[in-house]
Amino acid sequence: MSSTEQRVAIVTGAARGIGAATAVRLAAEGHAVAVLDLDEVACAATVATITGQGGTALAVGCDVSDSGQVETAVARVTEQLGAPVVLVNNAGVLRDNLLFKMSDDDWDTVMNVHLRGAFLMSRACQKHMVDAGFGRIVNLSSSSALGNRGQVNYAAAKAGMQGFTKTLAKELGKFGITANAVAPGFIATDMTAATAERVGMGFEDFKAAAATQIPVARTGEPDDIANAVAFFADEKTGFVSGQVLYVAGGPLN
Ligand SMILES: NC(=O)c1ccc[n+]([C@@H]2O[C@H](COP(=O)([O-])OP(=O)(O)OC[C@H]3O[C@@H](n4cnc5c(N)ncnc54)[C@H](O)[C@@H]3O)[C@@H](O)[C@H]2O)c1
């Protein structure tokens, strides 16, 4: 790839939250970015932010847990932006419940979006990375991978993302492809706002309570995670692979 050619990145779940901030950051660093989310229309705001800053972006509607939709979406990105060599598996959902109340559907939905989604997207993109002799895969894990009450499904999926990441690193390293995971702590997004609502707390009170448990004494912002993803996506970060970086305002026990 010549140095003048723009690298193509796909960020899943990029209509809002951490994915949107990551898409904007990768675009600012010179990538052409496919802003992928369930609803193509919902991607418009992220695309507008990127193009408003002089960047290149494409809105792509796709359910990452659906194999056919993933193949179609990656083919469309390749045709309209170019072959994707950076992939950020960020799309996610919560279906929190204590084990005895958790439905089969709560379990399957979380596994399908996080794990099956990351698998399908990575499989669809890897051939382009192998062809380019270069690739960066960044997967979103979570501090919940260490165990979190009410999240047996999500904790299992986010711990699974770590094993998935390390295995990609081992399989794909010789093709110039790295795979790493970012494991956020509490980040203020619609996801955590929904959790506050579910437990009957105002979001500001919920954030303030969480901040008392965080060494840097604040909750995280989407840009805090975008910054870590950008490090792993950087061309210069070619000797760091199979790592999990907790971005949580302090160490976790
Ligand atoms: N917010 C946090 O505190 C936090 C902490 C740790 C990890 N994470 C992880 O970071 C990622 C982003 O979280 P967020 O807080 O920005 O969440 P969010 O709910 O604000 O955004 C998630 C996005 O993923 C999209 N999405 C969901 N299912 C999809 C599917 N099947 N196909 C395509 N897109 C889909 C949603 O439409 C949404 O736009 C998730 O993987 C989440 O688990 C978040």
Side-chain angles (χ1 to χ4, degrees), residues 97-157:
N97 234 327
L98 293 172
L99 176 63
F100 77 103
K101 288 194 280 192
M102 186 167 287
S103 69
D104 295 10
D105 190 55
D106 289 337
W107 178 268
D108 290 343
T109 299
V110 167
M111 292 302 147
N112 284 341
V113 176
H114 296 269
L115 285 176
R116 184 177 158 85
F119 157 64
L120 293 174
M121 288 298 306
S122 301
R123 190 179 62 181
C125 290
Q126 59 80 30
K127 52 185 171 287
H128 298 294
M129 300 181 187
V130 170
D131 286 350
F134 173 88
R136 298 281 181 264
I137 299 174
V138 186
N139 298 316
L140 269 290
S141 179
S142 168
S143 56
S144 294
L146 302 171
N148 200 22
R149 188 178 153 81
Q151 292 195 318
V152 72
N153 51 358
Y154 185 77

Side-chain angles (χ1 to χ4, degrees), residues 13 16 18 37 62-64 90 141-142 154 158 184-185 187 189 192:
R16 67 186 198 199
I18 292 169
D37 210 295
C62 170
D63 177 348
V64 296
N90 166 83
S141 179
S142 168
Y154 185 77
K158 291 308 200 184
I187 309 300
T189 67
T192 38

